[in-house]
Amino acid sequence: MSVSAFNHRWASVILEALARHGVRHVCIAPGSRSTPLTLAAAAHAHFICHTHFDERGLGHLALGLAKGAGERVAVIVTSGTAVANLYPAVIEAGLSGERLIMLTADRPLESIDCGANQAISQPGIFSSHVTDALNLPTPTSTIAARWLVSAIDDLIARQTHGAVHINCPFAEPLYGESDEEDAAWSDALGDWWQNSKPWLQQSVHFQPPLLHDWESGCQRRGVVIAGCLSVHEGKQVAQWAATLGWPLLSDVQSHSGQPLACADLWLANPKAQSSLQRAELVVQFGSRLTSKRLLQWLSSCQVTEYWLIEDRAGRLDPAHHRGRRIVSPIGPWLSQHPALARPPWAESLASLSSMAKSCVEQRLATQFGEAQVASRIVELLPPHGQLFLGNSLVVRMVDAFAQLPVEYPVFANRGASGIDGLLATAAGVERACCRPTLVLLGDLSALYDLNSLALLRQSSAPMVILLVNNQGGQIFSLLPTPLATRQRFYCMPQQVDFRHAAAAFGLQYASPESWYALLHDVTQRWKLGGVTLIELKVAPTAGGEALTQLLQQVSEL
């Protein structure tokens, strides 16, 4: 029996098993040890294969595909440090919930800890950041194919959120002609090859818990918090809160329309804090909140009860409230707990929100820069498109200054909130959704993931990367550290002209110097198509200063 041929047959069973669980996208990095998996994926008619030479970017590409498609996405890499480069994407998926399947090729056991090339200890490498792991044996016909498929089915059936790790050792030789000597091994699976169902079919029937005291609960003065929600959930939550007459404090990723816009500003106002002190119940849907002021209010609020509803398990409440942690899909839970129409009890918040929005518009009307762009981001959005937000100062300013349309798709990496892999994640989102995509991120984020500009050359819809070049990590300009120390060790100013990066990767480029020039450039890109990197060269500290000054102004209204 040919070792290389059986390796391929073994890998083909693995990939076929994953296809039965809805995997369509497979992200592949080059490598020799992973050849059986790569060839099996390439030969499978069901898969859309994506490639990238950088495993860190590849992991984030998969993360973006999983975000956009709402499906499991598989990743194939070779052994050694290639595996370790997946770590940031695994961590982010574990916190934000995207379902990734990491297929890591490995040396057989006899090659580990003996000085063999590119051989590291891979089982357990992702620790608690994966939800589950399966360390496969080196392929052998003495292990029945039904064991392999049932082991994979069992692992995937338990994957409700986050990444799983399947470590796949392969012995050499890895290359050779296929043969039929070992066909009986896989043929033993019978008509499984002709249907589309998993070998081991497991089902979990989940019914959202009915709160029997809801009728009395909805009579209280409540506050609704909308965290990271799906497009449909955001609209449902907004309608539910409006019917109840409860104020809705919503995150930039809530898709709720943010009816009380600029909450990150007006929550610092003593009048808002006084009004919200009357609240008796907080009901939060989704987690991962961006606003610092909202998190501070949640930490200090004194309410009778706090409920957090999300379909993922875990506390997800950094303030550790006494209350109820309800693990349930949000849509069905809302249906089981209909809103009882009541008049608003905190009407002053709407007035504060309106005044805060007016302050933002007046303060930033003539000041071209990242703060103005964040406040007017809606004017740049492509019709029937989507928005991807970077981290650090950019996402905070959009959350504080903008009011995004209800149900307009917004994506971000707000699990670990790192700046790694943002361009690659945006590329994955675009590929999954095939919609015009606006990406807004900072210069250090772009530099950190510059390799992933290579992924954007394959964009199927118009794409604009709006890159704010404020000379370094200016979110750190808000820190009360000595200026010289802050510049050297935190902001780290750089002198990079991204025109050359765009040219290196074959992207279109523009660098407008006014709001109207920017609006024209972006509008034209939606019409002409392609991928354009638009660099906004702005004053280093202007964005942070605008946020600080508006916080002060709104707090004194």
Side-chain angles (χ1 to χ4, degrees):
M1 183 181 297
S2 165
V3 171
S4 61
F6 190 77
N7 281 342
H8 180 74
R9 193 172 295 276
W10 179 277
S12 296
V13 169
I14 294 172
L15 271 299
E16 181 61 38
L18 296 184
R20 310 298 176 97
H21 290 276
V23 173
R24 291 188 306 131
H25 295 281
V26 182
C27 298
I28 305 171
S32 180
R33 188 64 54 169
S34 52
T35 291
L37 295 167
T38 298
L39 295 181
H44 200 293
H46 182 80
F47 293 138
I48 303 168
C49 293
H50 308 263
T51 59
H52 192 32
F53 51 82
D54 179 344
E55 285 87 359
R56 187 180 69 181
L58 186 81
H60 283 91
L61 175 69
L63 184 75
L65 286 163
K67 283 179 183 288
E71 302 170 355
R72 291 183 175 92
V73 175
V75 178
I76 295 173
V77 298
T78 193
S79 60
T81 56
V83 180
N85 278 304
L86 298 176
Y87 222 134
V90 167
I91 290 171
E92 180 66 26
L95 294 172
S96 54
E98 288 77 24
R99 294 172 296 170
L100 303 181
I101 302 168
M102 300 307 194
L103 294 166
T104 62
D106 199 358
R107 260 60 176 168
L109 181 62
E110 60 270 21
S111 297
I112 306 300
D113 292 332
C114 64
N117 183 49
Q118 206 171 326
I120 67 172
S121 180
Q122 294 179 191
I125 192 171
F126 298 120
S127 185
S128 61
H129 295 290
V130 290
T131 59
D132 215 333
L134 176 62
N135 188 39
L136 293 176
T138 302
T140 171
S141 60
T142 61
I143 296 177
R146 61 180 178 271
W147 175 87
L148 182 59
V149 290
S150 62
I152 292 170
D153 289 342
D154 181 58
L155 177 78
I156 302 304
R158 296 197 303 271
Q159 183 192 27
T160 57
H161 299 87
V164 294
H165 178 205
I166 304 177
N167 196 54
C168 308
F170 292 106
E172 296 184 7
L174 301 169
Y175 306 93
E177 297 296 324
S178 61
D179 59 46
E180 296 302 315
E181 289 184 35
D182 48 22
W185 179 82
S186 52
D187 288 347
L189 295 173
D191 63 0
W192 177 80
W193 290 104
Q194 281 72 53
N195 63 48
S196 59
K197 298 178 181 178
W199 178 269
L200 182 63
Q201 299 179 52
Q202 300 185 47
S203 59
V204 177
H205 299 285
F206 184 73
Q207 182 69 22
L210 177 63
L211 302 184
H212 297 290
D213 58 349
W214 169 240
E215 188 173 344
S216 61
C218 66
Q219 303 288 337
R220 304 181 194 178
R221 290 188 295 272
V223 173
V224 179
I225 309 294
C228 183
L229 303 175
S230 73
V231 168
H232 301 302
E233 289 169 347
K235 183 178 181 180
Q236 287 178 292
V237 167
Q239 292 172 340
W240 188 80
T243 302
L244 284 166
W246 292 0
L248 173 63
L249 310 182
S250 46
D251 188 79
V252 68
Q253 287 192 91
S254 68
H255 301 103
S256 65
Q258 297 167 288
L260 294 175
C262 303
D264 190 58
L265 299 179
W266 58 257
L267 276 169
N269 187 291
K271 296 175 185 176
Q273 294 168 6
S274 176
S275 179
L276 288 169
Q277 280 180 354
R278 300 170 58 216
E280 300 169 310
L281 169 66
V282 171
V283 181
Q284 179 175 335
F285 297 94
S287 56
R288 303 294 163 191
L289 301 174
T290 302
S291 166
K292 182 177 181 179
R293 261 56 61 180
L294 178 53
L295 288 167
Q296 287 173 339
W297 178 77
L298 277 173
S299 181
S300 63
C301 69
Q302 301 294 322
V303 291
T304 307
E305 280 206 67
Y306 168 85
W307 303 351
L308 198 158
I309 299 131
E310 184 173 296
D311 62 355
R312 286 187 294 147
R315 288 181 291 172
L316 303 179
D317 170 26
H320 312 295
H321 290 94
R322 180 178 183 179
R324 305 181 187 183
R325 175 64 182 92
I326 301 166
V327 181
S328 169
I330 290 170
W333 191 92
L334 290 170
S335 298
Q336 283 198 330
H337 303 84
L340 177 66
R342 299 187 65 200
W345 66 267
E347 293 179 286
S348 62
L349 298 183
S351 176
L352 274 172
S353 171
S354 179
M355 288 190 288
K357 192 165 178 57
S358 294
C359 287
V360 170
E361 291 170 353
Q362 293 169 15
R363 169 73 169 72
L364 301 177
T366 59
Q367 296 187 13
F368 180 60
E370 56 194 311
Q372 185 188 57
V373 170
S375 69
R376 302 179 70 173
I377 192 74
V378 172
E379 298 175 52
L380 302 176
L381 296 176
H384 311 292
Q386 57 196 1
L387 172 65
F388 185 91
L389 293 172
N391 281 323
S392 297
L393 193 55
V394 160
V395 68
R396 286 170 171 81
M397 287 196 298
V398 174
D399 185 69
F401 299 157
Q403 185 173 22
L404 298 173
V406 63
E407 292 191 294
Y408 194 90
V410 178
F411 299 92
N413 285 350
R414 295 300 296 168
S417 301
I419 65 169
D420 40 356
L422 293 175
L423 286 170
T425 308
V429 167
E430 188 281 324
R431 291 188 188 190
C433 302
C434 298
R435 291 185 176 192
T437 305
L438 177 65
V439 181
L440 178 62
L441 78 168
D443 50 350
L444 290 190
S445 297
L447 285 172
Y448 205 67
D449 197 28
L450 203 63
N451 282 347
S452 293
L453 288 177
L455 294 169
L456 303 180
R457 294 179 293 193
Q458 302 176 33
S459 177
S460 59
M463 193 170 189
V464 171
I465 302 100
L466 201 52
L467 195 160
V468 177
N469 189 345
N470 55 15
Q471 290 298 301
Q474 293 302 327
I475 190 169
F476 298 117
S477 66
L478 305 176
L479 297 178
T481 53
L483 178 60
T485 302
R486 189 187 316 150
Q487 287 295 97
R488 181 181 178 190
F489 295 106
Y490 294 88
C491 297
M492 296 188 180
Q494 43 73 29
Q495 301 295 327
V496 174
D497 187 337
F498 285 91
R499 178 190 312 271
H500 305 296
F505 290 97
L507 308 181
Q508 301 169 81
Y509 175 85
S511 183
E513 297 181 356
S514 70
W515 168 257
Y516 295 105
L518 170 63
L519 183 61
H520 175 268
D521 285 344
V522 173
T523 303
Q524 286 298 106
R525 287 305 123 200
W526 301 139
K527 295 176 182 178
L528 299 175
V531 180
T532 304
L533 192 157
I534 296 182
E535 182 179 7
L536 301 181
K537 298 178 180 179
V538 300
T541 61
E545 290 170 355
L547 180 58
T548 300
Q549 292 165 9
L550 279 165
L551 273 169
Q552 182 65 33
Q553 181 181 352
V554 173
S555 70
E556 296 172 353
L557 291 174

